[in-house]
Amino acid sequence: MSGIIRQVIDLIKSKFAGTVEGTIKDKNGEPIENAVVMINNKRTYTNQKGEYEIEVESGTYDIEVSSFEHLPSKKAVAVERFSAKFVNFELEESDGKVIRNWNDLNKIRDYLDEKFTIVKDLDEETKGYSTYFGTEDTDSENATIKRWEPIGDSRDSFTGEIHGNQKEVEGLIINRSGEENVGLFAVNDGEIRNLRVKGASVTGLGGQTNGTGIISGVNTGTIYNVDVEGNVTGAKINTGGVVGRNDGQIDEVHFIGSIDGIKRVGGIVGQNYGRIVNVESENNITADDGVAGGIVGYNRGEVKGGNIDTTINSGDGKVGGVIGENKNGEIAELDVDVSTLTI
């Protein structure tokens, strides 16, 4: 369709359009600035007075409103041509901040000790994805790949709470092969729960007290009821499907995917000094220098309860369906199906 024809169609539609406008405030009557208003795939933002206005064709629509510090809300509206509909919203403050898009997810690094609730699925079509993923100057020989920066670090870790709300985060790509703590979080010392991560690809370096995993390089906090699907590559030691090194607790976690590392490679965790209970993993593991297991590569902690279906290819010894090497750790109540174990 030519540009001229498209302009004519848009002009005709505008002649039959109406407007929806209103004010968005909190429970105290204070206007909410920069709230997102969505109608029929059109987006606008409120001004300093909490006001918005958006033009749509005649019809019946849902208006969806969201704000970083408030719970989202939805109302139906019937729009007639040549007329204006006034729809006001009063938003309830959330227990912490809300995550609606990739930009909100990135803001966690500015509020490391606070609570967050994910209220929408995130994928490649979600606002902000192209800011953190993909390529720049794709027509140039010197194209650069955009890289997600893991949240927190060993000196200033995440200590807050993430309530995934059973939402999906899809398309996470992290390529930081020269960095030691790599994952969605570099170091988690808080609580992450009820989260679904799909189609992730994570590459990191790892190290003796560091690691590479889709959720976190190092976990000293709690990860509960999290499903993870993707691929992980570690250039040194401590590479896991979910966490590189665990000194905290991992409970009710499920991983599907492949893990490719050098040493201390695990389907859930590369190196464990903490507690891992009730996990499931369907994985394909490659460990060039051995110490690889369907759940944990190297274990000094507790591993209890789980179902594992694993294929492990290793260039050295100390390989097991559950644990590659166990150093005085506790292991119990596990159901393991080892498809292939190659040394």
Side-chain angles (χ1 to χ4, degrees), residues 100-168:
R100 307 154 296 173
N101 52 51
W102 294 100
N103 293 330
D104 289 345
L105 189 69
N106 185 61
K107 288 179 183 178
I108 293 174
R109 69 185 74 254
D110 299 323
Y111 306 91
L112 292 173
D113 60 351
E114 297 198 21
K115 293 181 180 180
F116 296 85
T117 300
I118 300 177
V119 296
K120 291 182 176 293
D121 293 333
L122 308 184
D123 57 28
E124 295 181 4
E125 302 300 320
T126 304
K127 180 185 176 183
Y129 186 85
S130 61
T131 302
Y132 308 103
F133 309 100
T135 59
E136 294 177 336
D137 301 325
T138 54
D139 295 331
S140 170
E141 294 181 358
N142 299 317
T144 58
I145 299 176
K146 297 177 183 179
R147 304 185 301 169
W148 174 268
E149 181 182 351
I151 297 170
D153 55 39
S154 57
R155 293 172 297 179
D156 197 9
S157 62
F158 175 73
T159 58
E161 296 180 19
I162 302 291
H163 301 260
N165 204 24
Q166 311 298 339
K167 300 301 182 183
E168 292 184 353

Side-chain angles (χ1 to χ4, degrees), residues 18-21 37-39 42-44 52-56:
T19 61
V20 179
E21 53 192 276
V37 182
M38 290 286 295
I39 307 176
K42 288 187 174 183
R43 176 189 289 113
T44 190
Y52 73 92
E53 180 178 336
I54 191 167
E55 184 179 272
V56 291

Side-chain angles (χ1 to χ4, degrees), residues 164-175:
N165 204 24
Q166 311 298 339
K167 300 301 182 183
E168 292 184 353
V169 176
E170 184 174 2
L172 184 69
I173 301 172
I174 307 173
N175 185 359

Side-chain angles (χ1 to χ4, degrees), residues 19-25 31-32 37 39 44-47 49-54 63 65 84-89:
T19 61
V20 179
E21 53 192 276
T23 303
I24 300 173
K25 298 181 179 180
I32 300 174
V37 182
I39 307 176
T44 190
Y45 300 88
T46 55
N47 59 23
K49 296 180 180 179
E51 301 168 337
Y52 73 92
E53 180 178 336
I54 191 167
I63 310 174
V65 176
K85 285 285 185 177
F86 294 87
V87 183
N88 299 323
F89 285 84

Side-chain angles (χ1 to χ4, degrees), residues 11 90 109 144 183 191-192 210 261 330:
L11 180 62
E90 186 179 82
R109 69 185 74 254
T144 58
E191 181 179 339
I192 302 170
N210 308 294
E330 180 181 349

Side-chain angles (χ1 to χ4, degrees), residues 181 185-188 209-211 216-220 243-247:
N181 285 331
F185 293 84
V187 181
N188 171 53
T209 59
N210 308 294
S216 189
V218 171
N219 177 55
T220 54
V243 168
R245 172 177 169 134
N246 178 52
D247 292 78

Side-chain angles (χ1 to χ4, degrees), residues 54-71:
I54 191 167
E55 184 179 272
V56 291
E57 300 171 42
S58 58
T60 301
Y61 306 100
D62 285 333
I63 310 174
E64 298 183 34
V65 176
S66 60
S67 166
F68 188 49
E69 296 183 341
H70 301 82
L71 296 176

